[in-house]
């Protein structure tokens, strides 16, 4: 069985600012913002939500199927997918474009400022959701605007349950479009800021949204997450990481684990516990795809942190 991951493949240029953004931004001057941050470190990493989620899912023994687009400069990324045994049968190479690029600055409090060039991602809608035997579920992660709209509608028409994970793509959509995404989805995954924006744009409270889906998870960084499922609201505490190095890709690591657990039939609350395990492992490493963990290690860490979970699919 496998999960279809619709989202971006990107190269991330990651830099660290040793100060705090808040100390360099004057609140009464944000309408005329003109700031520069000296960043003494610089790394180029493989990233993009689809690539990061697929990496996390593959670490746990899942079989991610990526539906995404690369540019003509994306051969290194194709080679990386091959090296990790992640299928690129549905990765489109768009001619005369660059692969999507993210330029990320992280301050000492792990706040981030990102500039993103979509490049080939804008062509992701040119490939439709494939009819592949064994697909169990999917995820709509940040991608080209048309791709997110089309792929969600295609999954819904095919009866494929999916997670709606709008992420930083959320501002591209108005209230009517976001309400349509929610109605088509089986689950919604957002961070606390995105949850507030989703509610504001749809005009629906989180409880309202929960009536349209099987469950909602709202991640809250080191504080864990809040899960709404079956009429109940559950607070899942976070895990303390061995060290805090780089938050880039932590949400995607969480989502890869979420997909694996949902494939196994876990409750959303228990799936979120596994997501916290992967997020804590990722944040201790620089870059979104440079950490490692086995399924056995992840399950052991989950039991140590939370005890035995309530759903039975822990034999794997």
């Amino acid at each position: 069985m496998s999960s279809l991951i619709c989202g971006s493949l990107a190269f991330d240029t990651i830099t660290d600012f040793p100060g705090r953004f808040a100390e360099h931004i004057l609140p009464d001057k944000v309408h005329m913002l003109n700031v520069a941050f000296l960043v003494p470190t610089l790394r180029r990493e493989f990233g993009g939500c689809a690539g990061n989620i697929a990496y996390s899912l593959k670490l746990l023994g899942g079989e991610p199927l990526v539906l995404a687009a690369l540019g003509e400069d994306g051969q290194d990324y194709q080679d990386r997918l091959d090296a990790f045994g992640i299928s690129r049968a549905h990765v489109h190479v768009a001619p005369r474009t660059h692969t999507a690029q993210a330029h990320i600055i992280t301050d000492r409090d792990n706040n981030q400022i990102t500039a993103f060039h979509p490049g080939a991602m804008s062509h992701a809608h040119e490939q439709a959701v494939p009819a592949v035997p064994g697909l169990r579920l999917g995820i709509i992660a940040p991608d080209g605007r048309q791709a997110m709209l089309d792929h969600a509608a295609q999954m819904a028409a095919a009866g494929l349950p999916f997670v709606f994970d709008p992420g930083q793509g959320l501002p591209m959509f108005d209230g009517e479009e976001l309400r349509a995404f929610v109605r088509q989805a089986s689950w919604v995954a957002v961070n606390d800021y995105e949850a507030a924006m989703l509610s504001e744009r749809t005009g629906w409270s989180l409880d309202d949204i929960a009536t349209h889906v099987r469950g909602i998870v709202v991640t809250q960084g080191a504080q864990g997450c809040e899960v709404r499922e079956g009429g109940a609201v559950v607070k899942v505490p976070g895990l303390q990481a061995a060290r805090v190095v780089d938050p880039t890709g932590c949400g995607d690591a969480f989502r890869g684990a979420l997909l694996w657990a949902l494939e196994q039939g876990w409750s959303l609350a228990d799936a979120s516990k596994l997501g916290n395990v992967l997020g804590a492992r990722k944040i201790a490493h620089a870059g979104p795809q440079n950490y490692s963990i086995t399924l056995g290690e992840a399950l052991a860490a989950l039991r140590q942190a939370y005890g035995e979970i309530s759903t039975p699919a822990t034999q794997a």
Side-chain angles (χ1 to χ4, degrees), residues 145-250:
R145 171 182 157 80
Q146 195 60 48
M148 293 178 71
L149 291 167
D150 290 355
H151 293 158
Q154 290 160 8
M155 285 193 197
L160 182 66
F162 71 89
V163 178
F164 176 49
D165 168 31
Q168 293 177 331
L170 198 155
M172 296 190 295
F173 304 103
D174 62 24
E176 182 178 350
E177 290 165 332
L178 290 168
R179 288 189 292 270
F181 276 123
V182 170
R183 291 189 182 104
Q184 293 173 124
S186 296
W187 302 273
V188 172
V190 287
N191 64 28
D192 45 4
Y193 181 84
E194 294 155 1
M197 181 179 289
L198 182 62
S199 290
E200 187 274 330
R201 293 211 170 182
T202 59
W204 290 344
S205 69
L206 291 180
D207 289 332
D208 293 333
I209 294 171
T211 65
H212 295 280
V213 293
R214 299 183 194 177
I216 308 170
V217 57
V218 179
T219 59
Q220 299 167 333
Q223 285 68 53
C225 54
E226 184 179 89
V227 176
R228 282 173 165 76
E229 185 178 32
V233 181
V234 176
K235 173 65 178 178
V236 178
L239 298 183
Q240 183 171 355
R243 53 186 181 151
V244 177
V245 174
D246 178 12
T248 308
C250 284

Side-chain angles (χ1 to χ4, degrees), residues 26 29 35 126 129 210 237 263 268 283 290-291 312:
L26 301 175
K29 300 294 184 182
V35 295
E126 295 173 9
V129 167
E263 281 185 8
L268 188 61
I283 203 169
N290 294 324
Y291 64 102

Side-chain angles (χ1 to χ4, degrees), residues 126-137:
E126 295 173 9
Q127 284 207 122
V129 167
V132 176
L135 275 182
R136 291 292 299 274
L137 51 89

Side-chain angles (χ1 to χ4, degrees), residues 12-315:
D12 292 343
T13 299
I14 301 173
T15 61
D16 296 307
F17 174 56
R20 292 184 171 92
F21 295 145
E23 296 171 350
H24 295 262
I25 298 174
L26 301 175
D28 62 336
K29 300 294 184 182
V30 293
H31 64 289
M32 51 185 294
L33 195 63
N34 185 3
V35 295
F37 301 104
L38 179 64
V39 290
T41 65
L42 186 148
R43 306 185 313 277
R44 188 171 188 257
E45 304 280 2
F46 295 97
C49 293
N52 298 342
I53 294 169
Y55 179 83
S56 173
L57 180 56
K58 187 69 176 181
L59 288 178
L60 297 177
E63 289 298 329
L65 189 66
V66 176
L67 181 62
L70 288 169
E72 290 184 334
D73 58 347
Q75 185 60 52
D76 287 351
Y77 215 134
Q78 294 184 56
D79 294 342
R80 180 171 178 82
L81 294 173
D82 290 345
F84 280 93
I86 297 173
S87 172
R88 55 181 174 88
H90 302 283
V91 174
H92 171 62
V93 177
R96 299 179 298 281
T97 64
H98 291 289
T99 296
Q101 312 263 339
H103 298 265
I104 303 165
I105 308 173
T106 304
D107 77 358
R108 65 186 298 179
D109 293 328
N110 286 321
N111 297 308
Q112 291 186 312
I113 296 175
T114 302
F116 189 79
H117 169 66
M121 194 179 79
S122 300
H123 296 267
H125 64 281
E126 295 173 9
Q127 284 207 122
V129 167
V132 176
L135 275 182
R136 291 292 299 274
L137 51 89
I139 185 168
I140 297 294
D143 204 351
R145 171 182 157 80
Q146 195 60 48
M148 293 178 71
L149 291 167
D150 290 355
H151 293 158
Q154 290 160 8
M155 285 193 197
L160 182 66
F162 71 89
V163 178
F164 176 49
D165 168 31
Q168 293 177 331
L170 198 155
M172 296 190 295
F173 304 103
D174 62 24
E176 182 178 350
E177 290 165 332
L178 290 168
R179 288 189 292 270
F181 276 123
V182 170
R183 291 189 182 104
Q184 293 173 124
S186 296
W187 302 273
V188 172
V190 287
N191 64 28
D192 45 4
Y193 181 84
E194 294 155 1
M197 181 179 289
L198 182 62
S199 290
E200 187 274 330
R201 293 211 170 182
T202 59
W204 290 344
S205 69
L206 291 180
D207 289 332
D208 293 333
I209 294 171
T211 65
H212 295 280
V213 293
R214 299 183 194 177
I216 308 170
V217 57
V218 179
T219 59
Q220 299 167 333
Q223 285 68 53
C225 54
E226 184 179 89
V227 176
R228 282 173 165 76
E229 185 178 32
V233 181
V234 176
K235 173 65 178 178
V236 178
L239 298 183
Q240 183 171 355
R243 53 186 181 151
V244 177
V245 174
D246 178 12
T248 308
C250 284
D252 297 330
F254 179 99
R255 282 151 177 77
L258 195 77
L259 287 176
W260 182 90
L262 291 174
E263 281 185 8
Q264 311 305 312
W266 291 20
S267 71
L268 188 61
D270 285 339
S272 297
K273 294 173 184 176
L274 188 64
N276 285 344
V277 169
L278 269 286
R281 177 62 64 96
K282 204 268 34 117
I283 203 169
H285 297 78
Q289 297 180 26
N290 294 324
Y291 64 102
S292 63
I293 193 169
T294 66
L295 176 58
E297 290 169 344
L299 293 178
L302 182 150
R303 294 188 182 103
Q304 182 178 7
Y306 299 107
E308 293 293 333
I309 64 171
S310 60
T311 42
T314 57
Q315 305 93 333

